[in-house]
Amino acid sequence: MQATRLLLEEPVRLSTILTKTVEDPATAHVQALTKIIGTLGPESRDVETIENLLRAGMTVARFDFSWGTEEYHQETLENLKKAIRKTKRLCAVMLDTIGAELQIRNRSEKPIALRAGEKVVLTTERPGVEATAEVLPINSANFSKTMNVGDTIFLGQYLFTGSETTSVWLTVDKVADDEVVCIPKNSATLTGALFTVHAAKAQMAIPTLTERDLQILGTWGRRNAVDFISLSYTRSADDVRECKAQLEKMGELRQTQVFAKIETVQGLLNFDEILKVSDGIVLSRGNLGIDIPPEKVFLFQKMALYKCNMAGKPAVVTRVVDTMTETPRPTRAEATDVANAVLDGADAIMLGAETLRGRYPVITVKTVRRIAGEAERVFNQEEHFKKAVKYVGDPMTQLEAIASSAVRSAMKVGACVIIVFSSSGRAARLIAKYRPSMPVLVVVIPKLSTSNLRWTFTGAFQARQCLIMRGLFPMLADPRHPAENVSSTNESILKVALDYGKAAHIIKTRDRVVVCQKLGDSCVVKIIELD
């Protein structure tokens, strides 16, 4: 299905393999169209490090609430804001919910050594029960009711790097009352204060949006008007609908987009319905790689990304360079994995432990960006364009026709950039759907509206939400210049956009630029050549 996504030009391509990639700090943020999401944490929360991450190409900052306090994450967010002001680089904020996650708390934080063949009991979490090599208290009162003899359980601090020293495989030997007796299949030493538990294919009676999640959304999320919610352990379309309903009640989060995180068999089986109601998809390959056979993982990734591409919804891939948590260079397999994710159609690559607690967060972002940039150069855009047009079918909507025409025109005339004027961001997202090989400069026109009860300002949200889609680079226009004007104000906004492109070193003299904008009741695509 995806074999034609790779375009090889012989012998030109072979001659470039030994050519060293030249780093240009001034254009780092546009050297790759694929976006990079970085998880901020202990090794990446000071202002200087975040500044370097932004310059390296990070466009979305992820805050994982499965650990840390609201105060801790707030301090990190304030540092992010300072870094944004210093670097003058836009960055969106993603809140990752806890969801139906099974956890074991190691309050003493002493290392726990488990030995292969020696029994360990998983029991209900209650006062006085500490985590040891013999007993592990779990945060689910109904855990034993969902387990059967012979089931497989995975346990570790971070799921899952494949390292036999940091995670353990358990087989259920006996189930009695609230205790599940297990036998480790490998020896491992668990460290840290929190271990994640994954019961393969088990259906836990834990809501996708927990009370703790609602509390975090209502306080931290609402106070900071987050751009994206990564809804952990999404199992059905109803989970997404419920999350959106809760956000609607919180006025400040009405514009927040919900990305469904697919990490269970249930989510996989309901993928089509989930895709319809969500704003984007996060493929959490760590947990999915446990629930489905290893030889099937690539097939799910290709299928899921293809469906996201055809629907025009952003897709995020996780767990690509795990070893860079400890090393400054990825393995050959990881480098290939990043490139294949790009060729398969990923909009963004999400980095977790690599930037959260890794020793080389900035180097990791630079490395992923360089690999993505190389993969984009051999991405078969023409084949993708044909598939997308065929999938949409006839007749197209007016906006879809304009978006596809803008991309086709840009490819035919060799434009260096596409400039699109938008208020809602919808036109920009449709252009991104057709995967142009050049950057798309999105000029977001702010709007001020009222419902008699309150004034609403839109524009900043829409600009930041472009930062997760492949190829889109947003800028906010002067709100006094509406995109629908036929007057010379549109020309002045265009001049600002062109100057911005020149400053970002993506537009040069004699370059051709494709402009997509609304004039009155009409949508116009025009080609200009710069003097």
Side-chain angles (χ1 to χ4, degrees), residues 1 9 21 57 89 91-92 120 128 136 213 272 280 282 334 396-397 401 417 453 473 483 490 495:
M1 179 172 63
E9 302 172 9
T21 303
R89 298 272 171 84
C91 184
V120 60
L136 296 172
D213 288 326
D272 290 341
V282 176
E334 288 174 336
M396 283 184 174
T397 64
V417 69
L453 296 176
F473 297 90
N490 265 324
K495 184 181 184 303

Side-chain angles (χ1 to χ4, degrees), residues 199-248:
K201 301 182 181 180
Q203 298 187 17
M204 306 305 300
I206 303 176
T208 300
L209 204 59
T210 64
E211 291 184 9
R212 174 64 177 149
D213 288 326
L214 289 173
Q215 177 193 334
I216 293 168
L217 287 173
T219 53
W220 196 90
R222 193 172 185 175
R223 179 169 64 250
N224 296 298
V226 297
D227 303 294
F228 306 105
I229 299 295
S230 174
L231 188 61
S232 297
Y233 296 94
T234 303
R235 292 169 287 196
S236 68
D238 287 339
D239 291 340
V240 179
R241 293 190 188 98
E242 181 190 353
C243 183
K244 287 191 173 185
Q246 293 294 335
L247 296 180
E248 186 65 29

Side-chain angles (χ1 to χ4, degrees), residues 164-181:
E164 293 300 319
T165 61
T166 59
S167 60
V168 63
W169 297 39
L170 308 171
T171 299
V172 177
D173 183 61
K174 181 181 178 182
V175 179
D177 298 328
D178 61 351
E179 294 186 346
V180 179
V181 181

